[in-house]
Amino acid sequence: MNEKIWDALTVGELNVDLLLNEIDSFPEMGKEKLADKMDLTLGSSSAIFASNLSSLGAKVAFCGKIGKDGFGDLVVESLNNKGVETDTIIRDENLNTGITVILNYDEDRAMVTHPGAMNYLTLSDVTEEMMNKAKHLHFSSFFLQPGMKDGVAEMFEKAKRLGLSTSLDPQWDPAEEWDFDFKNILPNVDVFLPNEVELLSLTKAQSIKEGIEKLKPFVNLLVVKRGNKGSLLYSNGELNEAPPFLNTNVVDAIGAGDSFDAGFILKFIQGAAAVECQKFGNLTGAVNTTAAGGTGAFDDFKTVMQIAKEKFSYGE
Ligand SMILES: Nc1ncnc2c1ncn2[C@@H]1O[C@H](COP(=O)(O)OP(=O)(O)OP(=O)(O)O)[C@@H](O)[C@H]1O
Ligand SMILES: [Mg+2]
């Protein structure tokens, strides 16, 4: 029997974000504009999930693909700083690390992404040796990783066979085609974590109720994230609606969904009941919105619980 040294192995996309702020006007062909502020940070929703789950106290390893370049170094360094195991990240010298360039204009933003290495992660990169060291497998951003598409059902099947618990956050499909074989994938996914629009798009349903009906035969725990409306849990034929820890003073909602996932999965791997996991997910999603970016509010478990107490009267 292999020793389980990680609470969770996260498989997902990795990239850096180049944020340009205070830009004098919108881009125009053939002209140069100035941005007074810039920031280069770790991007990707899988990385936010892994970082925050690690900050909450779990031992987390990451399996993803990046280049052997400076942006790749930044990705590894940032995850290491959060305590995430990065030896499981594959660095390919023939590929570029992915980047998203974000032009920020007040509430609006324009983004261009070069996926780079994240396009090339495949099932064979997620080895049994890695899986055997983990208690739980989380996969995120299905549609951003075309190399994984045909292997995802098999990856989850293998994880279950090896005795891991599993979760999946599909995230948005930029192509809006929603080609996702849920009948074959979901039976081996213990926790499925789409947001409301993703659920409707994946199931081609008009309402959440109809979407849940379509997934019922295949899904185990289903959690539907609903922004400032909280979340819905479908479990064992029952629906549980959990109100949000409402934040009326949102700094930004970048990564709120990933932070919800981190809180839910933390409780899940600790063996908590599904409704407890849901409540804690709502809490960590709300905490996320109290600071800038996806990881700003997640220094460590104690700080998160302090924010929870001060801003949302949690635990009082
Ligand atoms: N204003 C808010 N106040 C309190 N909680 C919030 C707020 N916004 C989001 N949340 C919490 O965060 C969770 C996840 O947010 P959301 O539904 O936006 O996920 P998402 O669309 O997957 O996000 P992401 O863009 O990070 O992928 C919600 O279910 C809710 O619990
Ligand atoms: Mg999301």
Side-chain angles (χ1 to χ4, degrees), residues 45 140-141 169-172 193-195 198 225 255-259 261:
S45 73
S140 180
S141 306
D169 185 332
Q171 298 284 20
W172 187 252
L193 299 140
N195 71 19
E198 290 156 5
K225 289 169 282 182
D258 311 307
S259 298
D261 295 354

Side-chain angles (χ1 to χ4, degrees), residues 171 195 225-228 230 245-247 250 255-258 282 285-286:
Q171 298 284 20
N195 71 19
K225 289 169 282 182
R226 307 183 68 209
N228 64 9
F245 292 89
L246 192 61
N247 183 9
V250 171
D258 311 307
N282 269 353

Side-chain angles (χ1 to χ4, degrees), residues 52-64:
N52 291 349
L53 184 58
S54 175
S55 295
L56 289 169
K59 286 203 177 66
V60 184
F62 203 105
C63 176

